[in-house]
């Protein structure tokens, strides 16, 4: 593993937790401080659309009886 990490969202940890609202691509570069070697990878997160809910109001007819 690398010694340092640099993510496209400015995080610097080995892993990140994200909650995007739309499809997003993240890039991370890991660097070895001993050898100065770097490796970069790209990960895409695909977000499923939220379900659409429709509520239709219905009136209820009532009967009145007079006796």
């Amino acid at each position: 593993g690398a010694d340092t990490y640099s993510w496209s969202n400015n995080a610097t940890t080995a892993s990140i937790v994200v909650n995007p609202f739309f499809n997003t691509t993240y890039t991370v570069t890991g660097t070895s401080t001993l050898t100065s070697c770097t490796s970069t990878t790209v990960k895409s997160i695909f977000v499923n659309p939220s379900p659409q809910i429709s509520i239709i109001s219905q009136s209820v007819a009532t009967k009145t009886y007079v006796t």
Side-chain angles (χ1 to χ4, degrees), residues 5 18 21 40 48-49 51 56:
Y5 299 88
V18 295
F21 291 105
T40 300
N48 291 327
I56 300 171

Side-chain angles (χ1 to χ4, degrees), residues 6-67:
S6 177
W7 290 86
S8 55
N9 67 348
N10 296 322
T12 57
T13 56
S15 63
I16 58 173
V17 175
V18 295
N19 295 303
F21 291 105
F22 48 86
N23 295 345
T24 307
T25 299
Y26 295 94
T27 304
V28 60
T29 299
T31 303
S32 167
T33 54
L34 181 64
T35 63
S36 297
C37 290
T38 63
S39 180
T40 300
T41 192
V42 176
K43 293 295 179 183
S44 295
I45 305 297
F46 298 99
V47 178
N48 291 327
S50 298
Q52 299 296 316
I53 299 173
S54 297
I55 299 174
I56 300 171
S57 175
Q58 294 181 356
S59 61
V60 177
T62 60
K63 294 182 180 180
T64 303
Y65 295 95
V66 178
T67 56

